Coordinates of all heavy atoms in Angstrom, one line a residue:
V128 N 75.2 9.5 157.4 CA 75.4 10.4 156.3 C 76.7 11.1 156.4 O 77.0 11.8 157.4 CB 74.2 11.3 156.1 CG1 74.4 12.3 155.0 CG2 72.9 10.5 155.9
W129 N 77.5 11.1 155.3 CA 78.7 11.9 155.2 C 78.6 12.8 154.0 O 78.0 12.4 153.0 CB 79.9 11.0 155.0 CG 80.3 10.2 156.2 CD1 79.8 9.0 156.6 CD2 81.3 10.5 157.2 NE1 80.4 8.5 157.7 CE2 81.4 9.4 158.1 CE3 82.2 11.6 157.3 CZ2 82.2 9.4 159.2 CZ3 83.1 11.6 158.4 CH2 83.1 10.5 159.3
R130 N 79.2 14.0 154.1 CA 79.3 14.9 153.0 C 80.8 15.2 152.7 O 81.5 15.3 153.7 CB 78.5 16.2 153.3 CG 77.0 16.0 153.3 CD 76.3 17.2 153.8 NE 74.8 17.1 153.6 CZ 74.1 16.4 154.5 NH1 74.6 15.9 155.6 NH2 72.8 16.3 154.3
T131 N 81.1 15.3 151.5 CA 82.5 15.5 151.2 C 82.7 16.7 150.2 O 81.8 17.0 149.4 CB 83.2 14.3 150.5 OG1 82.5 14.0 149.2 CG2 83.0 13.1 151.4
W132 N 83.8 17.4 150.3 CA 84.2 18.5 149.5 C 85.7 18.4 149.2 O 86.5 17.9 150.1 CB 84.0 19.8 150.1 CG 82.5 20.2 150.5 CD1 81.7 21.0 149.7 CD2 81.8 19.8 151.6 NE1 80.5 21.1 150.4 CE2 80.5 20.4 151.5 CE3 82.1 19.0 152.7 CZ2 79.6 20.2 152.5 CZ3 81.2 18.8 153.7 CH2 79.9 19.4 153.6
S147 N 74.7 19.2 163.5 CA 74.8 18.4 162.3 C 76.1 18.9 161.7 O 76.8 19.7 162.2 CB 73.6 18.5 161.4 OG 73.6 19.8 160.8
W148 N 76.3 18.4 160.4 CA 77.5 18.9 159.7 C 77.4 20.5 159.6 O 78.5 21.1 159.4 CB 77.6 18.3 158.3 CG 76.6 18.9 157.3 CD1 75.3 18.4 157.1 CD2 76.8 20.0 156.5 NE1 74.7 19.2 156.1 CE2 75.6 20.2 155.7 CE3 77.8 20.9 156.3 CZ2 75.4 21.2 154.8 CZ3 77.7 21.9 155.4 CH2 76.5 22.1 154.6
V164 N 87.6 17.2 152.5 CA 86.8 17.4 153.8 C 85.7 16.4 153.8 O 84.9 16.3 152.9 CB 86.3 18.9 153.9 CG1 85.4 19.0 155.1 CG2 87.4 19.9 153.9
L165 N 85.6 15.7 155.0 CA 84.5 14.8 155.2 C 83.8 15.2 156.5 O 84.4 15.2 157.6 CB 85.1 13.3 155.4 CG 85.9 12.8 154.2 CD1 87.4 12.9 154.5 CD2 85.6 11.3 154.1
A166 N 82.6 15.6 156.3 CA 81.8 16.1 157.5 C 80.6 15.2 157.6 O 79.8 15.0 156.7 CB 81.3 17.6 157.3
S167 N 80.4 14.7 158.8 CA 79.3 13.7 159.1 C 78.2 14.4 159.8 O 78.3 15.4 160.4 CB 79.9 12.6 160.0 OG 80.1 13.1 161.3
D168 N 77.0 13.8 159.7 CA 76.0 13.9 160.7 C 76.2 12.7 161.6 O 76.0 11.5 161.1 CB 74.6 13.8 160.1 CG 74.2 15.1 159.3 OD1 74.9 16.1 159.4 OD2 73.2 15.0 158.5
E174 N 70.7 13.9 159.3 CA 70.0 12.9 158.5 C 70.4 11.5 158.8 O 70.0 10.6 158.1 CB 70.3 13.2 157.0 CG 69.7 14.6 156.5 CD 70.0 14.8 155.1 OE1 70.5 13.9 154.4 OE2 69.8 16.0 154.6
R287 N 66.0 17.8 164.7 CA 66.3 16.5 164.2 C 67.2 15.7 165.2 O 67.6 14.6 164.9 CB 67.0 16.6 162.9 CG 66.1 17.1 161.8 CD 66.8 17.1 160.4 NE 68.0 17.9 160.3 CZ 68.8 17.9 159.3 NH1 68.6 17.1 158.3 NH2 69.9 18.7 159.3

Side-chain angles (χ1 to χ4, degrees):
V128 176
W129 290 83
R130 290 170 175 81
T131 66
W132 297 261
S147 72
W148 77 268
V164 174
L165 301 97
S167 72
D168 288 346
E174 295 180 13
R287 297 187 296 172

